[in-house]
Amino acid sequence: MSDTGMTPPTKPCPACGGTALTEIYRLDAIPVQSCILLDTEAEARDFPRAPLVLDFCADCGFVFNRAFDLAKVDYASTTEESQHFSGTFNRFAQELAAEVASLYDLKGKRTLEIGCGKGEFLQELARQTGTQGLGVDPGFIPERLPGADGQEIAFQREYFDPATIADTPDFVVCRHTLEHIPEVGKLMDDIAEVLKGRRDVGIFFETPDVRRVLDEGAFWDIYYEHCSYFTLGSHARLFRRAGMDVTKLYLAYDDQYIIQYAEPSTGRPPLDNEDDLAAVRTLAAAFPAKVAEVRAHWTKFVKTRHAEGKRVAIWGGGSKGVSFLTTNGLGPEVAQVIDINPHKQGKYLPGTGHLVWSPDDLPGTPPDTVIVMNPIYLPEIGAQLKSMGLTPELVAV
Ligand SMILES: [Zn+2]
């Protein structure tokens, strides 16, 4: 860190080692955790903040927060990242497990999931494929997955470290974890170490796609825990540099997530959609102006309605909601934050200190406008509001 603590010195790209880096985004002080649950409003408002400085690597297309400090994020404490309370997300996870089952015969084989969260996906994969599973995650909570830690599935409540993985896996799963890892090149080395030179293994990664974020100026998708941001191409380049072939690569979940399969290289040629570097360089160059425009739009949207005496709510008390509020300094202009996750309700959001409401609380104080933090949930949320007899203005970011 520099003298001011605000402008860390430039370091080489953690994905490729390149030095053709350009700063494309900067926030001076955002909450260092946006999935955390706070018990009091005061605690939530006083939550630690830190700067975020996104650099773009013109050599490989990787985007990363060069001011990120992993020590500031405590994944083992009160992280609440599980999206498994949504029917939409559950169906998606089941379909993904079915796809893995169609591509790999994992019956009786060993699957390692790096960053397994609460373990729901590994449980589903074991159910569909008959694989033995080992899930590794510092935030795993045994009580939340009763009966799962047994003969077929086991969990290690810790950060992934090749030294603690007893058996070489046949299949490696890593969903929504790579974006939390600053030294992404080192993760590739760690995976290679755990595979011990085996060639007959499969790897499955799911990671948020940043191309849409760059294209749309989607600032709510940028927050402290996400220090590493990929496109299809930069994701694939990371694996190719580590001696792997990318065997399947596409966008899923309303084009929000990168789905990538890889195997130790046998020299297969790149897939068509890996070649995105020129396009992503153009998007990165346009991003500073784009994100400023989108931030101004949403600030005006909320403040105009608030000034008219309308009750504005946001639906989604996770990272996107926290980023939406804190990035633009919105406070009392947003009256309600709604989330269907019962573990979030009654708690307070870091930064602004908003209380998280249950949808069941809404009929008494109905919102005039609901801003949905993820467009994929619009039909689900629209149906739920309608079933309660509520017809607010309903929009998605
Ligand atoms: Zn790079």
Side-chain angles (χ1 to χ4, degrees), residues 10 21-24 53-57 62-66:
T10 302
L21 304 172
T22 314
E23 181 181 318
I24 59 167
V53 184
L54 292 189
D55 272 1
F56 172 73
C57 173
F62 183 53
V63 174
F64 64 102
N65 175 9
R66 79 172 131 98

Side-chain angles (χ1 to χ4, degrees), residues 85 102 299 316:
F85 291 97
S102 75
T299 300

Side-chain angles (χ1 to χ4, degrees), residues 28 97 106 133 177 209 212 228 239 242 244 320 364 369:
D28 288 338
L106 298 179
T177 296
D209 170 54
R212 185 190 49 82
S228 296
F239 281 74
M244 313 233 189
K320 289 169 191 272
T369 297

Side-chain angles (χ1 to χ4, degrees), residues 201-273:
V201 292
I203 296 171
F204 168 74
F205 265 65
E206 179 184 335
T207 310
D209 170 54
V210 79
R211 180 166 176 159
R212 185 190 49 82
V213 176
L214 295 175
D215 189 27
E216 297 176 5
F219 65 89
W220 48 88
D221 279 328
I222 298 170
Y223 38 87
Y224 198 78
E225 295 99 315
H226 283 191
C227 53
S228 296
Y229 297 82
F230 292 89
T231 64
L232 288 171
S234 60
H235 204 282
R237 284 184 280 280
L238 179 72
F239 281 74
R240 291 203 173 271
R241 210 170 294 110
M244 313 233 189
D245 288 343
V246 174
T247 55
K248 192 174 173 75
L249 179 69
Y250 65 94
L251 292 177
Y253 210 62
D254 226 9
D255 289 347
Q256 294 180 42
Y257 302 152
I258 296 166
I259 303 291
Q260 184 207 270
Y261 293 84
E263 295 173 10
S265 180
T266 55
R268 279 166 284 210
L271 305 170
D272 287 345
N273 56 3

Side-chain angles (χ1 to χ4, degrees), residues 46-128:
D46 292 343
F47 199 76
R49 296 177 181 243
L52 175 140
V53 184
L54 292 189
D55 272 1
F56 172 73
C57 173
D59 288 333
C60 76
F62 183 53
V63 174
F64 64 102
N65 175 9
R66 79 172 131 98
F68 183 72
D69 180 0
L70 185 61
K72 287 186 160 55
V73 186
D74 177 14
Y75 287 111
S77 60
T78 44
T79 300
E80 188 48 70
E81 88 292 346
S82 182
Q83 293 176 281
H84 284 262
F85 291 97
S86 159
T88 306
F89 194 80
N90 280 333
R91 279 189 297 279
F92 174 63
Q94 283 163 11
E95 285 163 16
L96 277 181
E99 180 178 89
V100 172
S102 75
L103 294 169
Y104 291 91
D105 178 9
L106 298 179
K107 190 166 175 52
K109 304 254 179 77
R110 276 193 287 266
T111 295
L112 166 67
E113 183 170 8
I114 300 168
C116 66
K118 307 291 181 275
E120 298 100 332
F121 183 76
L122 191 57
Q123 193 176 42
E124 179 65 22
L125 192 66
R127 194 182 66 75
Q128 290 200 30

Side-chain angles (χ1 to χ4, degrees), residues 143-223:
E143 311 85 75
R144 288 278 286 277
L145 205 63
D149 198 354
Q151 214 165 17
E152 274 78 39
I153 312 186
F155 294 94
Q156 292 178 195
R157 195 177 178 190
E158 60 190 18
Y159 283 103
F160 168 58
D161 176 352
T164 69
I165 307 301
D167 300 309
T168 309
D170 301 287
F171 197 71
V172 177
V173 173
C174 186
R175 300 181 68 225
H176 297 270
T177 296
L178 187 58
E179 67 273 25
H180 298 277
I181 294 175
E183 300 303 329
V184 293
K186 181 176 182 300
L187 176 73
M188 292 296 108
D189 296 342
D190 287 347
I191 289 174
E193 190 179 333
V194 94
L195 294 177
K196 296 189 170 71
R198 275 188 60 179
R199 314 292 298 169
D200 57 334
V201 292
I203 296 171
F204 168 74
F205 265 65
E206 179 184 335
T207 310
D209 170 54
V210 79
R211 180 166 176 159
R212 185 190 49 82
V213 176
L214 295 175
D215 189 27
E216 297 176 5
F219 65 89
W220 48 88
D221 279 328
I222 298 170
Y223 38 87

